[in-house]
């Protein structure tokens, strides 16, 4: 009876393999794989196509949800919109997010300045031929002090959004010291209904590839947000990995999206200050967590414990079962 | 010119010893990764599982992505909304990306359970991991330039993440032009370079042996005689 006796292994992993070999043809394997993948992808594309929900425009917003756009324009004038209060890189109206004492958002400063009332309301109106009442409203606004402008718009914003009063309905706003606020907001909505605002917000740029202002304004209202909610695209419903419709989304972002589902980053209890801090700074904290995860992933070969998991759980015996069956294990 | 200025015949290098940068690099390449090692016709016998196919499947998926991406680039960023052929090309691009990540994930888990970083192969793992991260960034920018609702929403949401850590000052996801250039030029170049490095390292180091492989060079056959 014959058996094999093994001498102590000497750098077997690192030295060139000197054991039995098999035939191998990388170009043949590659050609077969290319055909298989091409046919598979061609079939999937033919059967399932790909998602393409039409882009939103300010025209579609104004025509489908004029009150939403009107309320948003009032908020831009009053300084209560998300964009106005964003902070860097758009303005200095807040400090932005941080991870403990590390406030990169603040430190990087304002690199894409946005003046919400001017960029979203006044300048687009001035770029068009204005009716007499709109021109008078713009002139009145421009002639007023910043304090007066804020006072007018804030008064109107408060009255418009008073749940016990107008509750978002411009027709029910009681008379008050609002200056030209309502005329300006309505003028933007009217302009947007014609499609002119989509060009006006670009402010005369011939080559414009930067949609920062458009994107921020679109997100200030409920129009785009409501559509995203309907499609399960919000961050706390795994929106990062979802796709509009039934198509697969960016599943590879699941490790990132996972953290946004945790209660600690979705706090609703105002008395829990720690959880509220986590929630308020979720984007920055989760990004920092993911950077650590990425470093662990990249440097797995050097991390004690983690690199030994495959040894403790020998799943690889399935991979090499033919070899082990023929030659045994050392 | 004096005779002392003439090159000495006996100082001429032998043909085997290159004197130029090109020659030295070629010699280094031929020594470390000769053609028979670069394109071998045999592999160790343990390379006989389906799991080994997923690396190749990932690469051919990348080839399909690049080819369909080139066609989409020629058509322009909005072409596929108005052309049925363009939409099909976009669908090919979309599904090849889905397959690419599926195959790459299986390949990754396979290599993890094989602890494929053994035997001075850590850099092979690291380049593979970086290739995956770069691929995620490339796919992400692709979603940003679809010029449809999805790209609007993803740009709006993702800007907060980058802004929160200061990166938004440099990488503006709501700047369509910047994202187009990153998706069709900068990031594919990075992915291409890192994938080539990864593949060359696989060839250079060879496929990692089984964790419990026997040492064939030091194995002797013995005959046991039944007593």
């Amino acid at each position: 009876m014959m058996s094999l006796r093994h001498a102590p292994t000497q750098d077997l992993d690192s030295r060139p393999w000197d054991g039995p070999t098999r035939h191998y043809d990388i170009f043949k394997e590659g050609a077969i794989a290319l055909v298989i993948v091409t046919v598979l992808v061609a079939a999937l594309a033919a059967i399932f196509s790909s998602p393409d929900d039409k882009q939103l425009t300010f025209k579609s917003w104004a025509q489908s949800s004029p009150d939403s756009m009107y309320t948003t324009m009032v908020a831009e004038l009053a300084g209560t919109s998300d964009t106005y209060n964003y902070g860097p890189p758009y303005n200095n109206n807040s400090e932005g997010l941080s991870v403990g004492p590390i406030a990169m958002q603040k430190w990087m400063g304002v690199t894409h300045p946005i003046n919400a009332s001017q960029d979203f309301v006044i300048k687009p109106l001035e770029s068009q031929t204005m009716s007499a009442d709109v021109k008078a409203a713009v002139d009145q606004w421009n002639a007023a002090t910043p304090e007066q402008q804020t006072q007018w718009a804030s008064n109107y914003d408060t009255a418009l959004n008073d749940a016990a009063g107008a509750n978002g309905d411009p027709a029910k706003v009681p008379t008050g010291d609002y200056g030209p606020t309502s005329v300006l907001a309505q003028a933007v909505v009217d302009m947007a209904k014609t499609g002119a605002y989509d060009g006006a917000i670009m402010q005369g740029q011939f080559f414009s590839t930067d949609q920062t202002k458009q994107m921020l304004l679109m997100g200030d209202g409920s129009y785009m947000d409501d559509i995203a909610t309907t499609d399960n695209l919000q961050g706390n419903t795994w929106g990062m990995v979802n796709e509009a419709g039934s198509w697969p989304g960016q599943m590879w972002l699941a490790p990132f999206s996972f953290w946004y589902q945790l209660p600690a980053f979705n706090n609703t209890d105002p008395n829990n200050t720690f959880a509220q801090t986590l929630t308020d700074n979720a984007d920055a904290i989760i990004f920092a967590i993911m950077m650590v995860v990425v470093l662990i992933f990249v440097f797995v070969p050097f991390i004690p414990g983690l690199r030994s998991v495959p040894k403790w759980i020998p799943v690889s015996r399935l991979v090499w079962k033919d070899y082990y069956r023929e030659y045994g294990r050392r | 010119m004096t005779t002392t200025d003439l090159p000495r015949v006996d100082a001429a290098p032998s043909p085997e010893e290159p004197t130029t940068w090109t020659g030295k690099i070629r010699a280094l390449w031929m020594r470390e990764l000769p053609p028979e090692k670069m394109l071998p016709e045999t592999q160790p016998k343990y390379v006989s599982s389906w799991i080994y196919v997923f690396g190749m499947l990932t690469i051919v998926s990348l080839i399909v992505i690049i080819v369909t991406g080139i066609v989409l680039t020629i058509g322009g960023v909005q072409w596929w909304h108005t052309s049925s052929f363009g939409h099909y090309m976009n669908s090919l691009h979309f599904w090849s990306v889905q397959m690419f990540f599926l195959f790459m994930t299986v390949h990754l888990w396979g290599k993890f359970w094989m602890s494929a970083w053994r035997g001075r192969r850590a850099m092979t793992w690291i380049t593979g991991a970086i290739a995956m991260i770069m691929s995620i960034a490339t796919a992400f920018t692709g979603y940003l330039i679809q010029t449809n609702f999805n790209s609007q929403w993803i740009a709006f949401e993702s800007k907060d993440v980058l802004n929160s850590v200061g990166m938004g000052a440099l990488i503006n996801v709501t700047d369509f032009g910047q994202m187009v250039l990153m998706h069709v030029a900068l990031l594919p170049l990075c992915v291409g370079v890192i994938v080539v490095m990864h593949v060359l390292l696989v060839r250079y180091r060879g496929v990692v042996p089984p964790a419990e492989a026997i040492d064939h060079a030091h194995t002797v056959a013995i005959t046991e005689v039944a007593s």
Side-chain angles (χ1 to χ4, degrees), chain B residues 26-203:
Chain B
R26 186 186 63 215
L28 177 70
W29 182 280
M30 294 301 287
R31 186 174 69 247
E32 299 296 332
L33 199 57
E36 61 273 18
K37 193 173 177 182
M38 179 83 174
L39 296 170
E41 292 188 88
T42 61
Q43 280 293 289
K45 202 164 183 183
Y46 54 79
V47 184
S48 63
S49 165
W50 278 102
I51 196 72
Y52 288 106
V53 175
F54 284 88
M56 179 61 82
L57 288 172
T58 307
I59 287 176
V60 298
S61 298
L62 182 60
I63 291 171
V64 178
I65 290 170
I66 291 169
V67 171
T68 54
I70 288 171
V71 177
L72 288 168
T73 301
I74 293 169
V77 289
Q78 304 236 35
W79 166 61
W80 70 284
H81 298 302
T82 53
S83 159
S84 56
F85 176 68
H87 191 99
Y88 183 67
M89 199 52 59
N90 181 74
S91 301
L92 290 174
H93 199 63
F94 173 85
W95 284 106
S96 54
V97 169
Q98 295 288 338
M99 291 298 106
F100 172 76
F101 278 102
L102 177 66
F103 295 145
M104 185 161 47
T105 303
V106 176
H107 175 66
L108 165 74
W109 280 111
K111 294 305 167 188
F112 174 77
W113 290 114
M114 286 187 248
S115 50
W117 50 79
R118 286 177 287 119
R120 293 191 288 174
R121 292 177 179 83
M123 194 53 73
T124 313
W125 171 276
I126 290 171
T127 51
I130 293 173
M132 188 173 204
I133 294 162
M134 297 302 302
S135 299
I136 289 172
T138 311
F140 169 69
T141 52
Y143 276 80
L144 290 173
I145 65 167
Q146 296 175 95
T147 57
N148 58 14
F149 167 70
N150 211 21
S151 52
Q152 287 177 310
W153 177 251
I154 293 172
F156 178 74
E157 285 287 276
S158 58
K159 78 180 189 313
D160 296 335
V161 177
L162 294 178
N163 288 341
S164 71
V165 291
M167 288 173 64
L170 304 172
I171 301 170
N172 181 10
V173 294
T174 57
D175 185 333
F176 177 71
Q178 187 183 16
M179 292 305 106
V180 169
L181 290 172
M182 290 187 79
H183 183 71
V184 303
L186 182 61
L187 290 171
L189 181 66
C190 293
V191 170
V193 168
I194 200 78
V195 166
V196 167
M197 287 173 62
H198 182 69
V199 172
L200 289 177
L201 280 168
V202 171
R203 289 274 74 90

Side-chain angles (χ1 to χ4, degrees), chain A residues 276-289:
Chain A
Q276 193 57 47
T277 302
L278 291 180
T279 300
D280 290 343
N281 295 282
D283 284 326
I285 294 170
I286 292 172
F287 191 92
I289 291 171

Side-chain angles (χ1 to χ4, degrees), chain A residues 69-232:
Chain A
M69 179 177 258
Y70 182 88
T71 306
T72 304
M73 291 305 162
V74 171
E76 305 297 357
L77 291 168
T80 56
S81 70
D82 288 345
T83 297
Y84 182 89
N85 294 290
Y86 197 94
Y90 310 122
N91 53 51
N92 285 313
N93 295 334
S94 72
E95 292 194 348
L97 279 56
S98 62
V99 181
I102 302 171
M104 289 302 297
Q105 185 170 357
K106 177 184 175 186
W107 296 342
M108 291 300 285
V110 176
T111 53
H112 302 85
I114 295 178
N115 181 325
S117 61
Q118 285 292 317
D119 291 336
F120 294 158
V121 181
I122 304 301
K123 287 181 181 175
L125 288 173
E126 289 176 332
S127 71
Q128 308 289 304
T129 301
M130 294 179 280
S131 62
D133 61 327
V134 174
K135 185 172 188 319
V138 170
D139 290 344
Q140 185 185 3
W141 181 271
N142 285 338
T145 63
E147 293 76 18
Q148 178 66 73
Q149 292 170 347
T150 304
Q151 185 67 45
W152 283 333
S154 296
N155 289 345
Y156 190 79
D157 190 40
T158 303
L160 178 66
N161 293 294
D162 181 6
N167 197 23
D169 185 352
K172 294 180 181 174
V173 174
T175 54
D177 181 20
Y178 308 135
T181 307
S182 63
V183 177
L184 295 172
Q186 188 58 49
V188 171
V189 176
D190 292 342
M191 187 204 296
K193 284 179 179 174
T194 69
Y197 189 81
D198 286 285
I201 194 172
M202 292 162 66
Q203 296 170 12
Q205 294 289 319
F206 187 86
F207 291 107
S208 178
T209 61
D210 185 353
Q211 277 71 35
T212 304
K213 288 172 183 165
Q214 291 96 309
M215 286 307 318
L216 266 73
L217 175 58
M218 189 69 82
D220 278 344
S222 59
Y223 177 57
M224 182 168 69
D225 197 67
D226 289 345
I227 295 171
T229 302
T230 304
D231 283 335
N232 287 319

